[in-house]
Amino acid sequence: MYQTTVGAVMTREVIAVGPDADFTTLVELLVSHDIGAVPVVSEEGVLLGVVSESDLVLKHEQLGEGDGKPPSLVLRRARQRWQKSWATRAFDLMITPVYALDVRDSLGAAAREFGRSGVRRLYVLEGRTLAGVLTRGDLLKAFVRDDEDIRREIRHEVLGRALAVADGAVDVNVDRGVVTMLGEVERRTDGELAQRLAEHVLGVVHVHNLLDYRLDGAPGLARR
């Protein structure tokens, strides 16, 4: 069955830099690729941190000001901000930890993380290695899928393979991602499972479960 996981919809080709990438290289990458941030990875591809536009803009605060020495009396946070404004390589500019997901996480988990963090992109890991990046736009694109493709997957994968429902016992209609299942299954629990599985098919917006059943629950308990 097509799994609606982060790994299925993420962008796999990620613009990334090593920890020693210089300031000018970082700026050039953001401008030339029209992106707002770039991840920093080790030689093994391990995600170390991320450098964003806001981190680089700090440089303007110190241009033409001061002599490169930190103020003598400042709060810790302000001192860190000052230090970053004078940094020249990715390792010193990057923010860590990074908002990240696992390739096996569901799109629902991704949506919750976007809502919680407020970020525009989430980096995707496979183990500790950077595997891709997910944007809010990628999340929305997951719902743009042909109705017939959705219908075919529910009939063959959900009803046929997962639940072994006889061909023709259930009619599946899909209209702009809204699924309606009408027919009869063996048990009430089969109908409930069919709905849960259908809800996880990529592109499904909502499921109307109109399935009838012959048995209520365990074998031997006939529906009244």
XYZ file of all heavy atoms in Angstrom, residues 99 113-122 136:
105
model
N 14.848 21.596 13.780
C 13.546 20.944 13.686
C 13.624 19.889 12.584
O 13.915 20.211 11.432
C 12.449 21.949 13.359
C 12.160 22.923 14.476
C 12.518 24.265 14.369
C 11.531 22.498 15.642
C 12.250 25.159 15.399
C 11.268 23.380 16.680
C 11.629 24.710 16.548
O 11.371 25.588 17.570
N 4.007 19.174 13.541
C 5.305 19.804 13.811
C 5.398 21.172 13.153
O 5.949 22.110 13.740
C 6.436 18.894 13.308
C 7.834 19.391 13.640
C 8.106 19.466 15.131
O 7.345 18.864 15.925
O 9.091 20.129 15.514
N 4.839 21.318 11.957
C 4.805 22.629 11.319
C 4.007 23.615 12.182
O 4.422 24.761 12.374
C 4.166 22.544 9.926
C 5.138 22.222 8.825
C 4.956 21.092 8.046
C 6.219 23.042 8.574
C 5.850 20.789 7.020
C 7.115 22.753 7.556
C 6.937 21.623 6.765
N 2.869 23.157 12.690
C 2.041 24.022 13.518
C 2.707 24.383 14.829
O 2.600 25.517 15.305
N 3.418 23.435 15.418
C 4.063 23.664 16.717
C 5.276 24.571 16.598
O 5.472 25.474 17.407
C 4.489 22.330 17.313
C 5.074 22.428 18.726
C 5.600 21.090 19.193
N 6.796 20.716 18.447
C 8.019 21.169 18.754
N 8.186 22.019 19.741
N 9.058 20.771 18.055
N 6.087 24.325 15.576
C 7.355 25.040 15.457
C 7.235 26.386 14.740
O 8.006 27.309 15.014
C 8.375 24.174 14.708
O 7.961 23.947 13.366
N 6.276 26.478 13.799
C 6.125 27.713 13.041
C 7.151 27.889 11.936
O 7.178 28.938 11.284
N 7.996 26.887 11.687
C 9.024 26.997 10.653
C 8.420 26.755 9.272
O 7.320 26.223 9.142
C 10.177 25.994 10.899
C 10.859 26.297 12.219
C 9.668 24.555 10.877
N 9.161 27.142 8.230
C 8.680 26.986 6.856
C 9.144 25.686 6.218
O 8.606 25.261 5.199
C 9.141 28.172 6.005
C 8.460 29.476 6.360
C 8.907 30.583 5.447
N 10.320 30.922 5.619
C 10.961 31.839 4.902
N 10.323 32.468 3.937
N 12.224 32.101 5.123
N 10.160 25.055 6.818
C 10.676 23.801 6.270
C 11.161 22.916 7.418
O 11.595 23.419 8.455
C 11.828 24.070 5.285
C 13.068 24.618 5.936
C 14.079 25.111 4.944
N 13.549 26.197 4.133
C 13.433 27.451 4.563
N 13.784 27.759 5.802
N 12.953 28.382 3.786
N 11.045 21.617 7.214
C 11.523 20.646 8.180
C 12.491 19.706 7.474
O 12.198 19.206 6.383
C 10.354 19.842 8.766
C 9.392 20.609 9.670
C 8.116 19.801 9.893
C 10.046 20.926 11.009
N 5.964 23.252 3.607
C 4.502 23.256 3.746
C 3.848 22.967 2.390
O 2.818 22.321 2.312
C 4.028 24.604 4.293
C 4.478 24.873 5.729
C 4.135 26.283 6.166
N 4.629 26.574 7.497
C 3.940 26.421 8.626
N 2.692 25.976 8.545
N 4.461 26.705 9.796
